[in-house]
């Protein structure tokens, strides 16, 4: 075969191959165009909108519908989604949704929902109903993974969310303890690696929980992870009160409704925690670790609190000691130690391992129940020896030597937060008997006058109780009634004179 013939034969073969390749390319382009047209036609139909509405409704267990879609290629905008439900999620509303539908998952029969942005999400929750009202393994409005669609067509049968941003989240949740609210929180969500897992970041906004010990929280930032029906709080930072800071971690089992959160509180003032009456008596900076959980069915909070730079002022028992010891050292007590374990449950506060101390002067330790306004505390009070030397019998009958080189006495606190009571004063008076007036008249008069200035306008009640104890145990020296009348003027003029036992007989 000549060279020219071979050239013609090769040229013809190459031409055929090129034409075939070109034909395949053209057919591919036409096929892709047809496929894109079919996909686009379906996406722009009410069928796709109904599919997404059904999937969101199925996940959150609500009944809702997206408003009509406005398409720009594969990007879509809609004014919102409104739904109501009978389970945990009672209402769900999305405003200003923008998203894009990716076709990269067509081979897996998956619609990829990308770049989703929501201007506002409003969620109403009633956690008082059975936890089964929440879809298993799913956080409301955040599908854990692809959701099947019953269809025999070649179109994708699943939907995957590849992340979302929410400009403002508003939640109103009815809890067994009351209403909890979340407002103004910004949220960003993205896949968490494992199937059905999501990483969530939240910032800004306010959180108000129905727990008396927890104030309104101003969220700084939180990082969470959702997987298999559990929310793991990797970090949570919020401001509270004027200068308080709360940092926490924890987890929440959505299906079981159980949660546990632990963390630390710093930068809090005593006046932030105590009521108006006690905030005037206790000054200092509070720091506390804490744990909040409901594993037993009821929320329980506990921790250990320490107070630095503490000052205790106008505590009744300390004022009484200041009066009887003829010293002002107890009136304003600078605390070198102030700490306690605490527990809150069902509105009751229990303080245990409580210690208040001022180096070289006083040491108080014990425990106390605070039930509403009612106080019930049992303590040991230690004083430096010689503090009550001016009160006959105080350091021999009431206070006894003990550890730390102090003299100790039991102390019971009762009454209410606004009107606390103590039992030490009566025992001091009883132990001293009328020897208080036998040492030096001026000393006895000074003690009574101090009592009047710090115990109120009617100190006679304290003295009367002491006199009654003395009458029952030791007898009364004739003429003591006149002495007391002299100290208090006419405050006892209308009362019958105190008679010695011999005169009563």
């Amino acid at each position: 075969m000549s060279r020219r013939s071979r050239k013609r034969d090769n040229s013809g073969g190459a031409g055929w191959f090129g034409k075939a390749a070109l034909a395949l390319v053209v057919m591919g382009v036409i096929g892709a165009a047809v496929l894109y047209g079919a996909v686009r036609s379906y996406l722009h139909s009410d069928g796709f909108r109904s599919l997404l509405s059904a999937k969101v409704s199925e996940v959150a267990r609500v009944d809702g519908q997206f408003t009509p879609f406005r398409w720009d290629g594969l990007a879509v905008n809609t004014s919102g989604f409104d739904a109501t439900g009978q389970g945990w999620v009672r209402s769900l509303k999305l405003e200003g949704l923008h998203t894009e539908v990716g076709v990269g998952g067509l081979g897996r029969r998956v619609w990829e929902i990308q770049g989703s942005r929501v201007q506002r999400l409003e969620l109403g929750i009633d956690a008082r109903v059975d936890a089964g009202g929440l879809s298993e393994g799913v956080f409301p409005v955040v599908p854990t993974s692809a959701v099947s669609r019953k269809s025999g067509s070649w179109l994708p049968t699943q939907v995957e969310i590849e992340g979302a941003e929410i400009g403002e989240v508003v939640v109103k949740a009815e809890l067994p303890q009351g209403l909890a609210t979340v407002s103004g929180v910004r949220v960003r969500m993205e896949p968490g690696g494992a199937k059905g897992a999501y990483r969530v970041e939240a910032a800004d906004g306010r959180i108000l929980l129905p727990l008396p010990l927890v104030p309104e929280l101003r969220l700084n930032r939180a990082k969470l992870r959702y997987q298999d029906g559990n929310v793991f709080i990797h970090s949570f930072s919020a401001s509270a009160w004027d200068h308080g800071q709360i940092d926490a971690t924890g987890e929440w089992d959505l299906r079981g409704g159980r949660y546990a959160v632990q963390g630390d509180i710093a930068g809090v003032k005593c006046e932030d925690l105590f009521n108006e009456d006690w905030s005037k008596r206790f000054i200092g900076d509070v720091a506390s670790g804490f744990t909040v959980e409901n594993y037993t069915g009821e929320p329980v909070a506990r921790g250990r609190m320490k107070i630095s730079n503490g000052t205790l002022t106008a505590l009744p028992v300390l004022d009484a000691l200041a009066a009887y010891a003829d010293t002002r050292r107890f009136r304003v007590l600078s605390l070198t130690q102030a700490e306690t374990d605490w527990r809150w449950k069902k509105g009751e506060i229990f303080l245990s391992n409580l210690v208040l101390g001022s180096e070289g002067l006083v040491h108080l330790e014990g425990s106390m129940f605070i039930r509403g306004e009612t106080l019930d505390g049992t303590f040991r009070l230690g004083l430096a020896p010689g503090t009550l030397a001016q009160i006959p019998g105080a350091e021999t009958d009431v206070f006894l030597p003990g550890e730390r080189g102090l003299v100790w006495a039991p102390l019971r606190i009762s009454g209410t937060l606004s009107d606390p009571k103590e039992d030490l004063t009566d025992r001091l008076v009883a132990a001293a008997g009328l020897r208080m007036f036998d040492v030096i008249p001026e000393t006895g008069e000074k003690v009574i006058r101090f009592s009047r200035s710090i115990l109120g306008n009617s100190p006679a009640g304290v003295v009367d109780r002491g006199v009654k104890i003395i009458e029952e145990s030791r007898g009364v020296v004739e003429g003591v009634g006149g002495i007391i009348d002299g100290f208090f003027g006419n405050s006892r003029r209308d009362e019958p004179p105190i008679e010695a036992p011999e005169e009563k007989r």
Side-chain angles (χ1 to χ4, degrees), residues 374-409:
T374 304
L375 302 178
D376 183 9
T378 304
F379 299 92
R380 295 174 67 235
L381 178 63
L383 299 177
T387 302
L388 301 179
Q390 297 189 60
I391 306 177
E395 297 189 4
T396 56
D397 298 336
V398 180
F399 287 83
L400 299 177
E403 66 272 20
R404 299 174 180 269
L406 304 176
V407 291
W408 295 84

Side-chain angles (χ1 to χ4, degrees), residues 288-289 301-306 339-344 349-355 366-368:
S288 178
R302 57 172 58 89
R304 181 157 186 84
M305 178 175 67
K306 294 185 178 182
E339 54 188 271
T340 183
D341 293 325
W342 59 270
R343 185 190 68 194
W344 175 92
I349 300 175
F350 176 56
L351 306 179
S352 60
N353 299 318
L354 186 151
V355 177
S367 60
M368 175 180 287

Side-chain angles (χ1 to χ4, degrees), residues 17-209:
F17 181 78
K19 292 177 181 179
L22 180 60
L24 288 175
V25 171
V26 171
M27 290 176 62
V29 171
I30 294 174
V34 172
L35 178 62
Y36 175 80
V39 170
R40 188 174 183 275
S41 176
Y42 173 70
L43 293 178
H44 289 210
S45 70
D46 280 342
F48 182 71
R49 181 168 65 92
S50 298
L51 171 66
L52 289 187
S53 297
K55 295 317 161 189
V56 174
S57 297
E58 180 182 349
V59 167
R61 293 197 175 184
V62 294
D63 183 13
Q65 190 76 253
F66 280 103
T67 57
F69 288 171
R70 302 183 303 277
W71 288 92
D72 182 8
L74 295 180
V76 61
N77 294 277
T78 182
S79 59
F81 175 87
D82 285 290
T84 58
Q86 299 300 317
W88 267 30
V89 181
R90 292 304 179 94
S91 63
L92 174 62
K93 184 175 183 180
L94 299 176
E95 296 180 3
L97 171 65
H98 169 86
T99 192
E100 298 179 9
V101 181
V103 296
L106 288 178
R108 298 182 293 118
R109 302 190 71 187
V110 170
W111 294 113
E112 296 176 344
I113 307 300
Q114 306 169 338
S116 299
R117 297 192 301 274
V118 178
Q119 292 180 359
R120 180 182 174 90
L121 182 152
E122 293 185 15
L123 188 62
I125 295 176
D126 190 347
R128 299 171 297 180
V129 302
D130 186 358
L134 190 63
S135 180
E136 283 195 8
V138 71
F139 192 77
V141 200
V142 181
T144 62
S145 63
V147 184
S148 297
R149 179 174 67 92
K150 295 180 180 180
S151 174
S153 73
W154 58 271
L155 291 169
T157 58
Q158 297 180 329
V159 174
E160 288 182 350
I161 295 181
E162 298 187 358
E165 294 184 5
I166 306 175
E168 180 183 9
V169 174
V170 177
V171 180
K172 293 182 179 179
E174 290 287 353
L175 307 180
Q177 299 77 33
L179 178 65
T181 61
V182 176
S183 61
V185 177
R186 295 186 293 109
V187 174
R188 178 183 177 85
M189 180 194 72
E190 60 185 19
K195 183 178 180 180
Y198 286 90
R199 290 189 295 267
V200 180
E201 292 190 14
D204 303 331
R206 296 177 179 270
I207 303 172
L208 183 60
L209 301 176

Side-chain angles (χ1 to χ4, degrees), residues 312-331:
L312 192 57
T313 305
L315 194 64
V317 64
L318 296 180
D319 278 348
L321 290 175
Y324 295 135
D326 191 14
T327 177
R328 302 186 63 86
R329 296 173 65 191
F330 291 103
R331 299 290 180 81

Side-chain angles (χ1 to χ4, degrees), residues 225-485:
R225 178 182 173 86
Y226 168 83
Q227 186 172 8
D228 298 331
N230 292 288
V231 176
F232 302 94
I233 305 173
H234 294 306
S235 65
F236 176 91
S237 175
S239 301
W241 297 286
D242 290 336
H243 305 286
Q245 179 70 29
I246 298 177
D247 295 289
T249 60
E251 59 182 271
W252 179 21
D253 178 4
L254 293 173
R255 286 169 290 187
R258 298 291 183 260
Y259 57 81
V261 178
Q262 53 278 330
D264 298 286
I265 302 174
V268 180
K269 301 293 184 181
C270 287
E271 61 193 54
D272 296 328
L273 298 179
F274 301 151
N275 63 20
E276 182 179 358
D277 197 52
W278 278 86
S279 63
K280 299 175 182 177
R281 299 174 176 177
F282 228 136
I283 299 174
D285 302 318
V286 180
S288 178
F290 69 88
T291 298
V292 182
E293 49 87 7
N294 69 339
Y295 289 152
T296 60
E298 291 285 343
V300 178
R302 57 172 58 89
R304 181 157 186 84
M305 178 175 67
K306 294 185 178 182
I307 298 176
S308 57
N309 305 316
T311 300
L312 192 57
T313 305
L315 194 64
V317 64
L318 296 180
D319 278 348
L321 290 175
Y324 295 135
D326 191 14
T327 177
R328 302 186 63 86
R329 296 173 65 191
F330 291 103
R331 299 290 180 81
V332 180
L333 198 64
S334 296
L335 300 175
T336 55
Q337 185 178 12
E339 54 188 271
T340 183
D341 293 325
W342 59 270
R343 185 190 68 194
W344 175 92
K345 183 178 181 180
K346 292 184 177 181
E348 178 180 284
I349 300 175
F350 176 56
L351 306 179
S352 60
N353 299 318
L354 186 151
V355 177
L356 297 176
S358 182
E359 187 68 30
L361 181 61
V362 60
H363 189 89
L364 180 72
E365 58 185 39
S367 60
M368 175 180 287
F369 281 97
I370 305 175
R371 299 179 176 93
E373 287 287 315
T374 304
L375 302 178
D376 183 9
T378 304
F379 299 92
R380 295 174 67 235
L381 178 63
L383 299 177
T387 302
L388 301 179
Q390 297 189 60
I391 306 177
E395 297 189 4
T396 56
D397 298 336
V398 180
F399 287 83
L400 299 177
E403 66 272 20
R404 299 174 180 269
L406 304 176
V407 291
W408 295 84
L411 173 65
R412 181 72 181 272
I413 301 293
S414 58
T416 64
L417 287 171
S418 58
D419 186 21
K421 307 292 184 184
E422 47 84 13
D423 68 344
L424 181 60
T425 300
D426 288 349
R427 286 185 285 120
L428 285 174
V429 173
L434 294 182
R435 288 179 295 169
M436 294 177 64
F437 306 107
D438 292 339
V439 181
I440 299 176
E442 289 78 9
T443 301
E445 183 176 355
K446 185 178 298 184
V447 169
I448 298 298
R449 285 180 178 174
F450 264 117
S451 299
R452 170 179 289 181
S453 65
I454 55 91
L455 295 178
N457 294 327
S458 301
V462 176
V463 178
D464 287 344
R465 291 195 301 271
V467 169
K468 183 177 180 181
I469 296 173
I470 295 168
E471 286 179 339
E472 294 174 351
S473 59
R474 302 187 180 185
V476 179
V477 177
E478 182 177 2
V480 71
I483 296 175
I484 295 177
D485 285 342

